[in-house]
Amino acid sequence: MKDLLLASGAALIHGLLALFTLDPFGWPLGYLSFLPLLFLLHQFQRRPLWLFWSGLCCGLAYALIVTGWLLGTLVRFMEYSYLESLLDLLVYAIIYFLKYPVFLLLGSVAYKLRWLRPRWLWLALVAVGSEWSMPSLFKSHWGIAVDPYTLQTAELIGIYGLTFLLVCFSYFLFRMARMLLKARTGVWQSLKRDSFWKHAWPVPLLFASALCYGVFRKERLETHQLKLDTISVAVLQPNTRPSWLRSRERLSPEDLTELFYRTIPALAQEAAAQKPDLMVLPEGAIPYFSTENNPYTNDPAYPLYAPVFEQLVLGLVRDHNVDLLFNEDTRDPVRMGNRTAVKAFNAATFLDRRGKRSTYRKQALLPGEELPVLRYMELLDLQFVGNRFERLHRYWPGNSATVFTTTHPAKRTDADPKTYRDWTQLSPTELRLDLAERKALDYALIMPLICSEDLETLLPRQFFVQQRPQAMINLTQDGWYGDTFEPHQHAHYARIRAIETRRALVRATNSGISAAYGLTGELLPAFYGPLKSSVYTKSVQVFHVPLNPGSPTFYMRYGMLWYGCAWLVLLALILSAMRRRKRRLASQSESNR
């Protein structure tokens, strides 16, 4: 019973510390949040079943306390009962937080094998490996909890490297606390006698180096950011009600009429007064429709193409002389072995002021958009399973990283002298002819990310393969989760991409929280509108976003190369220790003779 209380209490403390570390609280408790895991590891180091159970408790506590907002989403949009939702959350906690028991079990190896030194290095590498290899739905990395200056090292080692540093220093604090609690003579004498210093002296040196590097880089980049060219980006937040296909939560024809003809045109008119270069309509602003007019989107069984949607986007570009980035559904054939199937994609489409369009298709899909197991079964022609779970398997992942090129007018004028007819009275073809008369110059390269892709640490590397994007724009719909902690937590995690890439990030959300982050991950001031939009409100924000044409960061170039090097260092230290031990035993045997 005592062990059960210890495991449950430590898991509860970990969940609470993790919650208060994230936004909207943002308390500086990062290095303390990992201490309960180290306590459990020390307490049950030789009892693998209890380690596994403790890990499951920690995952469950994190799921219930930090991501408990999933319950309301399952009840409202999946039409589950509260009991079914709770059971789903339990399964979710077991599957997507396996990193907890895996870390505790692998970490205990260092307590069984005395030659596995230094222990802090082994634990940090195991923690990173657990996060990297185990499934995770919302990419909740431990390393997000480090201080704002250490956070700047993400340009070298990414979010996984921050987890490495967090575990190293947390273990150092844990051992120091144990030594102080056991000190009977004096603190200084106890510290001098403890052999921990023999192996752990690099930890404070590593932490001090990371901290100094972060202070230097943050100050330098804040100065450099002021000298960069900027692009004026207007974020329209229409607060469209989340709509789930084939459920009671669907937009009515009256809702769509209000959206197409009044809400979005009014927001665009307000933003146009600030003369932006680019307008952004977020994910879910106009859900489940397409502006692509082709046989696949005009399928009578399930049509996607909406002429009024195409009229709207073309009219916004024409009337306000801006580029437009918006979210839509597209449908195209996909090759599956010897056959071809038509699949839907969650897409970000860019329409420049000349009427030229390009499309990026979301690559990292969430459950509810697709189920990977069903995708593989479809590839094997087992479609009957996919049909049964159609509501959870709506999209197919894209396979290319498309960078959008924004434009500037060839001649800067305060207003377009030509008077146009109302876009509602023209066909899409007539609107495209109006845009074809425009002349514009290419200006900036923009990396698009859709919804949870701003949580994917290695995905942005694909965009740097052939081009060099200068800024990022994320289109997000967080309205599924209600007025909970989720929009705040999502924004908190997303800003790490700005540091890893050293590119400014604009988060355009349908129902909050919309904001822009600079090269250091700090909030950019809004030229117009609120600094951060509120949840479930309509708003317009205009940001002057810095464009960084510099080379990709070390992390964008080499990814997890540092992780392999760290394993080589550990191997070299182990071999060196084994060689010294062998020599010591040999000298002892010779002296005994």
Side-chain angles (χ1 to χ4, degrees), residues 239-252:
N239 192 29
T240 305
R241 181 164 53 84
S243 177
W244 185 262
L245 289 176
R246 295 175 175 82
S247 87
R248 61 176 178 263
E249 295 288 344
R250 294 196 65 182
L251 294 178
S252 66

Side-chain angles (χ1 to χ4, degrees), residues 315-345:
L316 293 179
V317 171
R318 186 202 66 175
D319 294 347
H320 304 304
N321 194 20
V322 294
D323 297 332
L324 180 68
L325 177 60
F326 61 96
N327 173 247
E328 65 174 338
D329 282 10
T330 63
R331 192 183 287 143
D332 285 294
V334 174
R335 190 73 180 172
M336 297 183 180
N338 297 325
R339 64 188 181 90
T340 300
V342 176
K343 293 295 179 183
F345 297 88

Side-chain angles (χ1 to χ4, degrees), residues 35-36 62 84 89 95 104 129 223 247 284 304 307 351 353 392 396 451 527 542 552 557:
L35 294 183
Y62 192 98
E84 289 174 320
L89 190 62
I95 295 176
L104 293 177
T223 304
S247 87
L304 288 180
L351 187 65
R353 64 191 79 223
L392 299 176
W396 199 259
C451 194
F527 177 74
V542 179
R557 286 182 177 178

Side-chain angles (χ1 to χ4, degrees), residues 238-451:
N239 192 29
T240 305
R241 181 164 53 84
S243 177
W244 185 262
L245 289 176
R246 295 175 175 82
S247 87
R248 61 176 178 263
E249 295 288 344
R250 294 196 65 182
L251 294 178
S252 66
E254 293 77 16
D255 293 332
L256 293 173
T257 300
E258 177 73 20
L259 194 63
F260 282 122
Y261 294 105
R262 283 183 282 277
T263 302
I264 292 179
L267 293 175
Q269 186 67 38
E270 181 182 349
Q274 309 304 319
K275 297 182 174 55
D277 300 306
L278 171 65
M279 282 188 188
V280 183
L281 275 174
E283 183 189 33
I286 303 176
Y288 309 123
F289 287 104
S290 177
T291 63
E292 287 190 356
N293 185 7
N294 59 47
Y296 309 114
T297 56
N298 279 310
D299 183 358
Y302 180 25
L304 288 180
Y305 175 66
V308 65
F309 189 9
E310 187 177 14
Q311 287 175 282
L312 173 65
V313 297
L314 290 170
L316 293 179
V317 171
R318 186 202 66 175
D319 294 347
H320 304 304
N321 194 20
V322 294
D323 297 332
L324 180 68
L325 177 60
F326 61 96
N327 173 247
E328 65 174 338
D329 282 10
T330 63
R331 192 183 287 143
D332 285 294
V334 174
R335 190 73 180 172
M336 297 183 180
N338 297 325
R339 64 188 181 90
T340 300
V342 176
K343 293 295 179 183
F345 297 88
N346 186 358
T349 298
F350 179 78
L351 187 65
D352 72 18
R353 64 191 79 223
R354 298 166 297 195
K356 181 181 177 182
R357 60 182 289 151
S358 52
T359 300
Y360 165 74
R361 293 163 177 168
K362 185 178 180 182
Q363 301 180 67
L365 299 175
L366 290 173
E369 293 178 316
E370 73 138 4
L371 295 178
V373 173
L374 302 188
R375 171 157 49 99
Y376 297 134
M377 297 188 78
E378 283 195 71
L379 290 171
L380 296 173
D381 206 14
L382 300 175
Q383 295 183 338
F384 64 96
V385 178
N387 291 336
R388 183 179 178 185
F389 294 94
E390 184 178 8
R391 289 198 302 176
L392 299 176
H393 190 62
R394 297 176 290 132
Y395 294 120
W396 199 259
N399 57 8
S400 62
T402 305
V403 176
F404 299 141
T405 304
T406 67
T407 63
H408 265 337
K411 292 183 179 180
R412 288 272 188 182
T413 57
D414 292 334
D416 194 334
K418 186 173 180 179
T419 302
Y420 294 105
R421 291 171 57 193
D422 188 350
W423 62 267
T424 60
Q425 302 175 10
L426 299 176
S427 68
T429 302
E430 292 172 310
L431 289 167
R432 281 193 293 270
L433 290 175
D434 285 342
L435 293 178
E437 300 174 358
R438 290 253 176 88
K439 296 186 181 298
L441 303 175
D442 292 346
Y443 181 54
L445 299 177
I446 300 296
M447 177 199 308
L449 299 171
I450 302 176
C451 194

Side-chain angles (χ1 to χ4, degrees), residues 122-166:
W122 169 259
L123 292 177
L125 291 174
V126 165
V128 173
S130 302
E131 279 198 335
W132 195 5
S133 58
M134 292 296 103
S136 179
L137 182 59
F138 291 102
K139 307 298 179 184
S140 52
H141 299 281
W142 288 314
I144 193 69
V146 300
D147 62 272
Y149 295 105
T150 305
L151 207 64
Q152 302 303 316
T153 60
E155 67 173 348
L156 303 176
I157 52 180
I159 186 65
Y160 291 115
L162 298 180
T163 293
F164 179 89
L165 294 176
L166 175 81

Side-chain angles (χ1 to χ4, degrees), residues 12-23:
L12 179 63
I13 293 173
H14 170 69
L16 290 172
L17 288 174
L19 174 66
F20 290 121
T21 298
L22 300 173
D23 284 347

Side-chain angles (χ1 to χ4, degrees), residues 478-498:
D478 280 338
W480 304 107
Y481 309 106
D483 191 4
T484 63
F485 295 146
E486 193 280 339
H488 302 273
Q489 294 171 0
H490 192 168
H492 186 93
Y493 279 111
R495 66 194 179 101
I496 302 296
R497 303 293 86 78

